[in-house]
Every structure is written in C-alpha cells, then in structure tokens.
Amino acid sequence: MGHLSVVSPPNTIELKNWHLDGRDITESEKRIKHLHGLFKDEESYNKLHPETLVYSVQAHHPVPEGTPGGLFFGTTIVQPGRVGTEYFMTRGHSHLNEERTEYYWGVQGEGILILMNKQRETWGENIFPGSLHFIRGFLAHRVANTGPTQLIFGASWPADAGHNYDDIAREGFSARLMEVSGKPTLVSI
Ligand code: S6P
Ligand code: ZN
C-alpha cells in the first residue's frame, strides 16, 4: 500500500456460498466424534459414523485475537442431519467479553438461530437466504440446520469478544431444537 496506489484487496468472498479466499483465514471442522455430550439422544449419537461432518467454519482474522476495535468475519456451513430428532447444530457459545455483540446473516438453506439470555430464557429466529440477525450482548447463541440442504451463514464479531464454550458445555441451553410432528420445535429441558 502506498500513497495514491489502488490495489486488489487481500481477500475475496465467493458470493454464491460465501467461501473466503486469501490471507489470514483459518478453517475448522466439527465431526460427530468432536461433539460428545452435545446432543440429547446418546444412543442415536453412537450409531452415527464418527467421521460424519456436522459443521465447518472459515474465519478471517486480520488482527490478533483481543485487538480492541478489530473485527473478525466468518462463514459457517452446517450440514443437514439429525441426531435422533435433534437437528445438527453448532456447539454454541456466549462471548467472554459478555457485552460484545455479533451479526449473523443467512446465505443458503434454512435454519434457526437459537438465543438464550442470562435468565436462561431461550428463543429462536428463522434463518433463510437474506435474513439478518443482530445478536445482542449477554446472549448465548447457536445455529441449527432444519432443512434438507446445507445451511450457510455469515458472521462478523469484535476481535475482543472471545468465546466462552464452557458454560454451554456444562449447562447447555434451556431448550433443544427437535423435530416434533414434522416441525422444528424448541423443547424445554
Ligand atoms: C464466532 C461466530 C461463528 C461461530 C461458528 C461455529 O463468534 O459466532 O463463526 O464460531 O458458527 O459455532 P461455535 O458455537 O462452534 O463457535
Ligand atoms: Zn459469537
């Protein structure tokens, strides 16, 4: 970069599927074998092949984790599928810096963003291509794929948000998204 120069940006987004290319991108995958204890029905969980892909994440980290004022950007693909009657979903987290917020937006497929407040009230927002979701501070968030195709969504969050997975791993959400009479339904635990 120099004074008066015009250059190509270091990153691109494939607008069809929001695949990210370029520098400072991390990729991660969560398979059934990585998600012990996440789903309710252990018998059904144990019947699935351990290598079954549940979701994958690409994230663009242009600044170090924790940088005040920095932003991160990512794309998540949740595969279609269920463990028993519970839809494939992300682990879910709140932010270590609890007041930090986040945007999600739907790109492809259908799903539900599951949100839980500090009082452990849980609700959902439908995700569809073009849906926009502002996740307020202090909310735990996770996404389930309720459709027959891949669910793709984008996300952007502050570089100093941090991720708290422990609370959800220990206590879970207060409701699970299950298929009941053919419909996605939040079921109280
Ligand atoms: C990061 C953002 C997403 C999730 C991803 C996977 O703040 O919310 O990139 O990391 O959707 O979900 P989880 O709960 O496994 O991080
Ligand atoms: Zn988050």
Side-chain angles (χ1 to χ4, degrees):
M1 168 188 51
H3 182 54
L4 302 186
S5 67
V6 177
V7 300
S8 289
N11 293 91
T12 56
I13 305 163
E14 176 56 64
L15 285 178
K16 253 193 350 259
N17 55 14
W18 287 65
H19 184 84
L20 307 179
D21 267 315
R23 67 161 93 124
D24 304 320
I25 290 169
T26 60
E27 319 229 351
S28 68
E29 283 184 344
K30 290 282 177 278
R31 295 178 182 273
I32 279 291
K33 67 180 180 191
H34 300 128
L35 299 173
H36 276 289
L38 182 64
F39 297 96
K40 181 177 175 161
D41 182 346
E42 279 187 24
E43 205 180 311
S44 299
Y45 175 86
N46 289 326
K47 281 188 192 144
L48 289 171
H49 194 287
E51 296 297 335
T52 306
L53 182 62
V54 179
Y55 64 97
S56 46
V57 183
Q58 280 193 302
H60 180 227
H61 295 115
V63 295
E65 177 96 35
T67 304
L71 282 175
F72 293 155
F73 184 97
T75 300
T76 301
I77 304 178
V78 186
Q79 299 299 320
R82 287 190 323 220
V83 178
T85 58
E86 191 171 15
Y87 298 94
F88 276 10
M89 61 183 175
T90 60
R91 282 186 295 167
H93 60 266
S94 52
H95 294 152
L96 281 173
N97 216 335
E98 291 190 286
E99 75 273 18
R100 292 295 184 264
T101 57
E102 182 162 5
Y103 274 114
Y104 278 7
W105 57 93
V107 172
Q108 185 187 299
E110 52 193 286
I112 295 183
L113 165 61
I114 303 164
L115 299 161
M116 182 176 74
N117 65 17
K118 301 292 276 182
Q119 292 74 46
R120 294 188 58 76
E121 295 166 317
T122 297
W123 65 98
E125 285 183 9
N126 290 314
I127 304 180
F128 50 87
S131 64
L132 181 64
H133 311 269
F134 178 64
I135 301 170
R136 293 180 186 278
F138 299 92
L139 296 181
H141 39 287
R142 95 160 17 133
V143 167
N145 183 350
T146 56
T149 61
Q150 286 184 335
L151 171 68
I152 306 181
F153 66 93
S156 185
W157 64 100
D160 62 354
H163 291 87
N164 175 357
Y165 291 103
D166 292 352
D167 288 357
I168 293 301
R170 205 176 43 248
E171 294 165 34
F173 281 64
S174 62
R176 290 178 175 278
L177 193 70
M178 320 291 279
E179 186 176 88
V180 180
S181 309
K183 269 186 41 190
T185 308
L186 277 171
V187 179
S188 241
I189 299 210

